[in-house]
Amino acid sequence: MEFLQVWHTAPWSDVQAWRWLARVFTGNVVQEALFYGAAASLIGVLLHGVLRRRLARRLIGQWPTAADVRREMTYSLSTLLVFAAVGVAVVAAVVTGRAEVYVQVQPYGWTWLVLSFVLMLLWHDLYFYVTHRLLHTRWWFRRVHGVHHRSRHPSPWAAYAFHPLEALINAMVVPLALVVIPLHVGVLLAFTAHQVLRNAHGHAAVETMPAGFSHHRLWGHFTTTTHHHMHHETAKGNYGLWFTWWDRWMGTEIAQYRQRFDEVTGSATP
Ligand SMILES: [Zn+2]
Ligand SMILES: [Zn+2]
């Protein structure tokens, strides 16, 4: 990375350093906004616009109102700023040698590249489950997590509709990983793309997965929009992010989840 050498060799003045940080921050905001804006708009326009009529029978609860979407977009903007700020800290850690984000495949090879992506998904899933349970304790729910739960029937824009403190907690998943492991820049991009797409999809209010998905031996381990929608309806149970196993292991899966999934997808036995 070019700026790595620049950071170490150039005699930085305070003004230059602040300018550099401001540029990195602005770049992060643009990048985060593009990723998130593209994912939420794509899923919103497709599922709530183009396919709205066709998917009406797969509506899990209700369509979100325009007021819901406006509020979710506003909070999403503040989340983008928090994510971008944490991104600046990550870049600063990388250029000063405290964390390693590498560009070439070679130093660690393809096996680590693929494995690190899988590890990041598992780590994110665990980190989210634990912090989400904490956010559902009385103090945190009243002051912080309640913001996300104002959406009882969320839209894809609820994916980033967080109190700034919750945004900060969520943003720490990557820096905490970088304390322990090196990550390829492509893995970070894939991680972000997967995260925004599945997050927006999980708040889509309509179930798009095929009938039988939640019972399947393999696919049944993946969370669905119904899974997370029920969490928004009740604010109790179904705390998981990407996989259903933490809720099953910890006994927090909502008992009616699979039945509700069957009803929504039209495969419930009468
Ligand atoms: Zn949610
Ligand atoms: Zn919650």
Side-chain angles (χ1 to χ4, degrees):
M1 288 181 196
E2 200 185 324
F3 55 78
L4 228 169
Q5 283 118 33
V6 174
W7 180 275
H8 285 300
T9 53
W12 290 86
S13 69
D14 280 357
V15 175
Q16 283 171 321
W18 280 110
R19 271 196 198 139
W20 182 81
L21 287 173
R23 266 212 307 278
V24 174
F25 179 74
T26 310
N28 284 352
V29 172
V30 171
Q31 185 187 312
E32 294 280 354
L34 283 176
F35 263 96
Y36 180 58
S41 308
L42 180 78
I43 289 172
V45 167
L46 194 66
L47 304 185
H48 290 205
V50 181
L51 299 171
R52 189 182 183 94
R53 280 181 170 209
R54 196 185 296 184
L55 286 171
R57 63 194 166 82
R58 278 186 166 235
L59 192 60
I60 303 162
Q62 293 170 24
W63 293 108
T65 64
D68 283 327
V69 176
R70 275 198 301 274
R71 187 191 61 252
E72 290 163 357
M73 283 182 166
T74 308
Y75 275 110
S76 294
L77 280 178
S78 80
T79 295
L80 289 176
L81 297 181
V82 173
F83 283 10
V86 172
V88 172
V90 169
V91 173
V94 170
V95 295
T96 53
R98 291 180 173 85
E100 189 177 355
V101 175
Y102 59 101
V103 180
Q104 305 295 333
V105 176
Q106 259 336 297
Y108 303 101
W110 283 103
T111 310
W112 171 248
L113 196 142
V114 175
L115 184 67
S116 61
F117 178 70
V118 176
L119 281 176
M120 283 301 288
L121 294 189
L122 295 175
W123 157 238
H124 193 191
D125 192 56
L126 168 64
Y127 178 77
F128 184 88
Y129 184 85
V130 172
T131 54
H132 196 187
R133 289 294 301 271
L134 174 75
L135 287 163
H136 272 266
T137 55
R138 186 191 285 260
W139 192 93
W140 285 93
F141 193 87
R142 276 199 185 162
R143 288 165 181 81
V144 179
H145 192 49
V147 166
H148 187 64
H149 277 275
R150 284 178 70 185
S151 307
R152 272 179 71 84
H153 302 287
S155 85
W157 295 97
Y160 275 16
F162 302 125
H163 183 285
L165 196 53
E166 182 173 353
L168 180 64
I169 292 170
N170 289 339
M172 289 309 290
V173 68
V174 169
L176 286 173
L178 281 170
V179 169
V180 184
I181 54 172
L183 289 170
H184 188 272
V185 68
V187 167
L188 283 176
L189 288 175
F191 176 82
T192 305
H194 168 268
Q195 186 265 112
V196 287
L197 274 170
R198 273 196 70 191
N199 236 326
H201 179 254
H203 290 93
V206 286
E207 186 51 68
T208 57
M209 291 297 115
F213 186 91
S214 68
H215 299 278
H216 193 274
R217 277 182 64 179
L218 177 63
W219 307 127
H221 293 295
F222 290 80
T223 51
T224 61
T225 308
T226 304
H227 191 273
H228 193 63
H229 196 97
M230 290 179 82
H231 174 72
H232 275 265
E233 285 178 340
T234 60
K236 211 169 169 50
N238 288 8
Y239 301 102
L241 182 62
W242 309 136
F243 305 104
T244 53
W245 48 57
W246 283 111
D247 278 305
R248 287 199 221 172
W249 290 337
M250 303 305 285
T252 52
E253 187 172 275
I254 298 174
Q256 298 81 16
Y257 163 51
R258 271 150 243 278
Q259 187 191 334
R260 180 80 176 276
F261 183 93
D262 289 345
E263 285 165 11
V264 171
T265 55
S267 57
T269 42

